Amino acid sequence: MFKGLSPIVYGGREVWPLIEGGKGVSATNHASSGAWAAAGGIGTVSAVNADSYDEDGNVIPQVYPQATRQERHEQLIRYAIDGATEQVRRAYEIAGGRGAININVLWEMGGAQTVLEGVLERTRGMVAGVTCGAGMPYKLAEIAARFNVSYLPIVSSARAFRALWKRSYHKVSELMAAVVYEDPWLAGGHNGLSNAEDPREPQAPYPRVKDLRATMRKEGVSEDVPIVMAGGVWYLREWNDWIDNPELGKIAFQFGTRPLLTRESPIPQVWKDMLRTVEKGDVLLHKFSPTGFYSSAVKTPFLYDLMHRSERQIPFYKRGETEGTVQLGDTGKARSFWVTPEDRARAEVWMRQGHTEPLKTPENTIVFVTPEKRDEIRKDQQDCMGCLSHCQFSSWKDHDDFTTGRLADPRSFCIQKTLQEIAHGDDPADNLAFAGHSAYRFKTDPFYSNGYTPSVGELVERILTGD
């Protein structure tokens, strides 16, 4: 039998220990997060390039006519602050004094600190706390202290938390409201899988969260600070053993994927319809993101294209560098690359299939694409608007000399472009569709049978029953 949950005190009031996972770009907004808070939980506005609106309530397209990357980056920051501010104001109004409103930022997004400070300055008294991951946000605590809001760091291991705590968070321990454990093998979107961990060998979350709590206790973190389990959470009855468990201490739960299929969810209907078709195993943990982090998304044709592109890859050499190499071809760019005879034979097959254009990667390899895909890659790299602090796809960096100094990587993609497009009505098949690994349960959960789409309030009510 499901034990049930007890409320926690957060933001000065009692709330359910249920957190809406923040999802950018524009996959959680004022409508979903305001409704989640109104249902008594903690709603999360994504502050990652959120939408703004004109006088008629229409979304303002985020366009970048500026000539340089740096100027476009500055425009992106203006959009981000304006959009997140508007989303928070609307969410706060919808919440009507119930629950709480958080904002979520990715530390690796371009201008993260400027955006976070700009939004908090303009939403004083409305934001209860900030969740932040995708990187090591050492400055999160001092920013929270400056604006007197709570902070909830997102980590994927006890080791990551220890590093953040020792360097920074112990100085502002009173504002650390929770620690979010985002499971790298279960959660959707970007995660903190480290080089020491094998993406193909999932580790059970319980021992990792137990280790996190043990680390928190060793460092003197208050027992009142809950750990938020994020990733793979669907039915709370499946987490019964986690509730009131002395080994784990106080526990809360984050729902990222499940709220995508609600009436208030801002994602387009075509995306909602796609989620109902996801089968077990259709979500891939991959490393194509230009952030360099692992992330999880549905295996759409967009993602398959990236997978196949990396499969059409061979090392190349300079002339005379390695014995036994031969020219890739007699004309065009192919003359510049020396490869092994075996690799040339493989490349000739790909070129006969239409993938005639070799593109260099930073690892002294070449990938083969069609002329149309080559042109798309080059245009996307040239149009970079600086949405990340470091971008592997375009070699952008948001500080100092504004370049990573590395060759732009054609095995990746423009993440701002695809996330904006899927969020605003483009076909999910042609885009990156982030989702957690439990997304297949939309198809098996009777709550969604016969095409039913619940309201956020109905979903929260259902979750509290254990289902």
Side-chain angles (χ1 to χ4, degrees), residues 72-88:
R72 294 194 292 269
H73 171 67
E74 290 165 359
Q75 175 66 67
L76 177 132
I77 288 175
R78 289 192 292 270
Y79 280 138
I81 295 173
D82 290 347
T85 299
E86 181 63 21
Q87 296 298 333
V88 168

Side-chain angles (χ1 to χ4, degrees), residues 201-279:
E201 295 291 336
Q203 296 178 22
Y206 187 97
R208 293 171 68 87
V209 173
K210 179 184 171 184
D211 187 29
L212 173 58
R213 177 60 75 184
T215 299
M216 291 167 65
R217 285 170 172 157
K218 184 178 179 182
E219 298 297 341
V221 177
S222 168
E223 288 290 326
D224 290 331
V225 176
I227 293 174
V228 181
M229 177 61 206
V233 182
W234 197 273
Y235 301 125
L236 283 186
R237 54 181 160 81
E238 297 173 338
W239 303 83
N240 217 27
D241 294 344
W242 290 51
I243 300 167
D244 301 327
N245 183 323
E247 278 191 328
L248 303 182
K250 193 175 287 189
I251 288 286
F253 296 94
Q254 179 167 298
F255 292 81
T257 299
R258 206 171 174 190
L260 286 171
L261 200 50
T262 58
R263 292 201 284 277
E264 293 90 345
S265 167
I267 67 172
Q269 189 61 44
V270 65
W271 191 355
K272 292 181 181 181
D273 293 343
M274 181 273 283
L275 287 171
R276 295 182 186 273
T277 71
V278 174
E279 303 277 359

Side-chain angles (χ1 to χ4, degrees), residues 95 114 123 163 203 242 270 366 395 400 426:
T114 304
T123 58
Q203 296 178 22
W242 290 51
V270 65
I366 43 179
S395 295
D400 300 334
D426 276 20

